[in-house]
Amino acid sequence: MRDERTLLQQALMGDDTAFAGLVVAFQGPVYNLCYRLLGTPMEAEEAAQETFLRVYRRLHTYDPAQKLSSWILAIAAHYCVDRLRRRRHVVGVPVEEVLPRQPQEEKMAGPEERLLHHERQREIQDLLSHLPEGYRTVIVLRYWYDASYEEMAEMLGTTVSAIKSRLHRAREVLAARLGESPARLAAGESGRDVARDGLQ
Amino acid sequence: MHAMGCNEAREWMSLRLDGRLEPAEEEQLSEHLRRCPSCALEWSHWQELDGLLRTAPGVAPPEGLSALVLERLRQQRARQIAGSLVVIGLQVTGLGVLMLGAVAYCLHGVAPVLSQVPYLIPAARFAATHLVTVAGVLGEAIGVLMRAAVSRRAALLAPAYALLAAGVMAAWLRVVVRRRPAAGGPAGA
Ligand SMILES: [Zn+2]
């Protein structure tokens, strides 16, 4: 298996198979980011394709000092944020209408694992789908792209302090919703344990 | 260190989750959480949420994404090639039209001149013969003048004329200078 840098070099020299290798290597995080930002498998797939076409066009501008995955995810994030902006301004589709519908899940080993996976998938989808779009965008950029406040501010055309307060508000809403939810999940339990440790 | 209020504590929780708190601020927040049960409960919810989001299971990308991307890439390339062929075709056509136009214009301009060629030939022959005649007349005239200038009679008459002219001039100067001393000023002495 060739490593990513080699694939990149070969893709730059016109090797399509190498570029396909890059797509395979990064399609997971790219697709997930697009899916969480845009909300539907169909849009996510389109966005992922478009992201990789853009990656291909910009291969020669890639600065090796940067992490390749961050560079590719940044292209995906920018594309999806633009798409959300267009959707809001031109089409005006309410978020709720485009959100639900689950994409296929990752392959699971046992039935128990699949059940837990399914449960958590549903929980997260439920949480995000009820979040207003502006809040959802910062949460997704933070957790699925690991964007810094500065990066988010630049991408969304706002200030760092606006991003801070938007993230704060988003977490407040999500935490409240999670608090109402009767189903307690594995990650949630461990999170509470940590909190209890901190109290003692 | 001032005592932290609940509002401030809640704002800092978000920053703490993103690793944006200084160590001193971390300590301040921990201190508040130890003393304030309601903020501690809130913090536990926030941590739960953070853990849930951090460990969110990934969704699998659709099968054959890379093949689709390559397919679209090839389509784009084909379109690009077709596009550049069209551009080249247009340029060649444009250039051809321009050149044809230029050639036609030149032919159009030259045509009347060419049509006059039969009339020009006798005119040129006429001009040539008369040019010889004119040149002959001029040459003859110059020759006559030269011969007159160097003839014996002229050679004798010219110095005689010159002497006569000098004599007349001298006499005239004498008479005029003598007659007008006062009018001529001091130079008259
Ligand atoms: Zn408090």
Side-chain angles (χ1 to χ4, degrees):
Chain A
M1 181 67 196
R2 295 175 285 186
D3 76 328
E4 290 149 10
R5 296 281 157 132
T6 320
L7 287 174
L8 185 89
Q9 285 304 318
Q10 288 166 336
L12 263 172
M13 295 195 298
D15 181 347
D16 280 357
T17 322
F19 184 68
L22 276 183
V23 175
V24 170
F26 294 106
Q27 60 182 359
V30 165
Y31 179 76
N32 272 271
L33 177 63
C34 295
Y35 173 63
R36 294 304 177 189
L37 277 171
L38 300 172
T40 69
M42 204 187 76
E43 274 196 278
E45 183 175 353
E46 258 177 51
Q49 282 184 26
E50 187 56 40
T51 298
F52 284 112
L53 290 175
R54 286 177 180 208
V55 165
Y56 185 83
R57 280 201 294 275
R58 296 178 197 172
L59 273 183
H60 62 283
T61 68
Y62 169 66
D63 172 13
Q66 215 178 345
K67 234 176 107 187
L68 187 55
S69 60
S70 312
W71 182 68
I72 293 177
L73 281 179
I75 293 175
H78 272 99
Y79 175 71
C80 293
V81 166
D82 274 354
R83 208 177 154 122
L84 285 172
R85 198 174 293 144
R86 274 199 308 263
R87 184 202 277 173
R88 205 160 51 236
H89 288 327
V90 182
V91 191
V93 180
V95 181
E96 289 72 13
E97 281 180 28
V98 292
L99 260 174
R101 254 199 74 195
Q102 301 270 331
Q104 72 181 110
E105 286 165 24
E106 273 179 329
K107 292 171 191 72
M108 288 297 121
E112 264 177 58
E113 199 182 339
R114 194 174 297 145
L115 191 71
L116 177 68
H117 178 93
H118 187 78
E119 188 61 22
R120 300 200 39 210
Q121 190 64 265
R122 199 192 52 73
E123 179 99 350
I124 287 172
Q125 186 65 16
D126 185 55
L127 277 175
L128 291 177
S129 66
H130 286 86
L131 209 53
E133 189 189 290
Y135 290 170
R136 189 161 47 94
T137 304
V138 290
I139 285 288
V140 171
L141 287 175
R142 182 77 201 99
Y143 285 96
W144 275 268
Y145 168 47
D146 198 22
S148 67
Y149 291 178
E150 289 75 13
E151 221 171 335
M152 283 191 260
E154 185 258 308
M155 222 181 269
L156 299 170
T158 182
T159 61
V160 167
S161 67
I163 293 294
K164 268 185 208 172
S165 73
R166 216 191 280 183
L167 259 176
H168 171 85
R169 284 286 303 139
R171 280 176 169 134
E172 220 166 44
V173 172
L174 288 175
R177 198 174 166 79
L178 203 61
E180 291 165 10
S181 146
R184 279 286 173 240
L185 303 162
E189 295 296 341
S190 63
R192 265 208 304 282
D193 291 342
V194 174
R196 216 170 290 130
D197 290 345
L199 288 173
Q200 281 153 6
Chain B
M1 198 188 287
H2 73 285
M4 181 180 245
C6 291
N7 282 338
E8 200 177 359
R10 288 178 190 205
E11 267 168 36
W12 283 19
M13 284 183 208
S14 187
L15 299 175
R16 174 185 261 188
L17 290 176
D18 296 326
R20 303 278 295 210
L21 284 189
E22 300 294 324
E25 296 169 332
E26 284 277 356
E27 187 41 51
Q28 235 176 306
L29 179 58
S30 298
E31 175 65 24
H32 181 88
L33 293 179
R34 270 193 288 274
R35 291 179 182 188
C36 176
S38 86
C39 280
L41 180 67
E42 183 75 11
W43 173 237
S44 76
H45 287 156
W46 283 48
Q47 276 184 306
E48 182 180 347
L49 169 75
D50 192 58
L52 188 66
L53 291 173
R54 272 183 205 288
T55 58
V59 292
E63 296 282 328
L65 184 69
S66 67
L68 277 171
V69 170
L70 280 196
E71 182 52 36
R72 280 184 66 182
L73 211 58
R74 290 199 186 104
Q75 283 171 4
Q76 281 190 352
R77 275 192 207 131
R79 267 202 302 276
Q80 259 167 16
I81 290 171
S84 40
L85 282 179
V86 166
V87 168
I88 290 172
L90 283 175
Q91 283 174 343
V92 166
T93 311
L95 211 63
V97 165
L98 272 178
M99 283 175 66
L100 277 177
V103 167
Y105 180 78
C106 287
L107 287 177
H108 173 78
V110 161
V113 176
L114 290 179
S115 70
Q116 296 301 315
V117 165
Y119 307 100
L120 282 175
I121 291 169
R125 203 180 294 144
F126 177 84
T129 46
H130 285 266
L131 204 65
V132 170
T133 312
V134 169
V137 169
L138 275 174
E140 184 66 25
I142 291 167
V144 167
L145 281 172
M146 299 257 293
R147 272 201 303 278
V150 298
S151 70
R152 198 178 292 167
R153 222 182 308 164
L156 289 172
L157 279 175
Y161 173 77
L163 278 173
L164 184 67
V168 169
M169 210 166 198
W172 183 76
L173 276 172
R174 235 163 215 273
V175 173
V176 172
V177 171
R178 284 266 175 88
R179 281 267 178 92
R180 305 173 66 183

